[in-house]
Amino acid sequence: MTQRYTLMTLAIVLAVSACTGAPQLQQTEQRGGPMSMAKPFESGTMSGAVYTPSSTEQALDCKKLKGSMLIIIARLKDSAARPKASATSAAIQSGVSAVRGQPNTMDLDAELKRERARLTAYNGLLAEKKCLTMDLANELPVTR
């Protein structure tokens, strides 16, 4: 008897959940609306091992620069705690990207080097603006 009630309850839950899908949010771009206020963030350029901040990044105040640096440091610490992908995994990801017609993404090591160079450049911007700089040697995780 309990199995029968369990099956009936399961059937009711499935029927109700199928009927109550999450409503789709529609975003319309209106002149002067919230969608028109968002501007894409301009990223700097990487030349060798040196990151050159964009004019948008150079215009950031001390608080925003430091906040961006804390986010980058958190990402670097997270990536240092993760195991490195195997050669097989990298090859499969590259193959899937090629089949889908997507460009090959930057490898993780190159991305980590870019983020470290970006931190160094941001620290330099903090110094130029006469803000308190960060001790990156103590903040950054040891490289892989």
Side-chain angles (χ1 to χ4, degrees):
M1 188 93 163
T2 51
Q3 185 179 15
R4 182 175 166 188
Y5 287 120
T6 305
L7 289 175
M8 286 176 43
T9 305
L10 180 62
I12 291 170
V13 168
L14 288 174
V16 169
S17 65
C19 295
T20 60
Q24 296 292 325
L25 297 176
Q26 294 185 8
Q27 296 180 350
T28 59
E29 186 172 340
Q30 299 173 353
R31 191 171 285 191
M35 295 296 286
S36 64
M37 292 183 345
K39 295 178 184 174
F41 190 79
E42 182 185 347
S43 183
T45 57
M46 190 76 177
S47 174
V50 177
Y51 181 85
T52 306
S54 67
S55 58
T56 307
E57 291 169 313
Q58 291 175 8
L60 294 174
D61 62 7
C62 298
K63 184 177 178 182
K64 289 182 182 178
L65 275 171
K66 194 158 242 175
S68 294
M69 291 175 75
L70 291 173
I71 291 169
I72 294 168
I73 289 169
R75 279 198 311 251
L76 290 173
K77 286 180 179 177
D78 179 60
S79 66
R82 293 180 185 209
K84 193 169 183 175
S86 67
T88 305
S89 172
I92 290 172
Q93 288 176 359
S94 177
V96 168
S97 293
V99 169
R100 289 184 176 172
Q102 298 171 338
N104 231 358
T105 58
M106 185 179 352
D107 67 7
L108 183 60
D109 291 332
E111 190 173 332
L112 294 176
K113 286 178 187 174
R114 176 183 167 86
E115 292 298 311
R116 285 178 174 273
R118 190 170 161 201
L119 280 173
T120 303
Y122 279 14
N123 218 18
L125 285 174
L126 285 174
E128 285 176 19
K129 295 175 186 257
K130 302 205 186 320
C131 305
L132 187 62
T133 58
M134 295 183 73
D135 184 7
L136 295 179
N138 287 332
E139 291 288 335
L140 293 175
V142 178
T143 57
R144 304 192 213 203

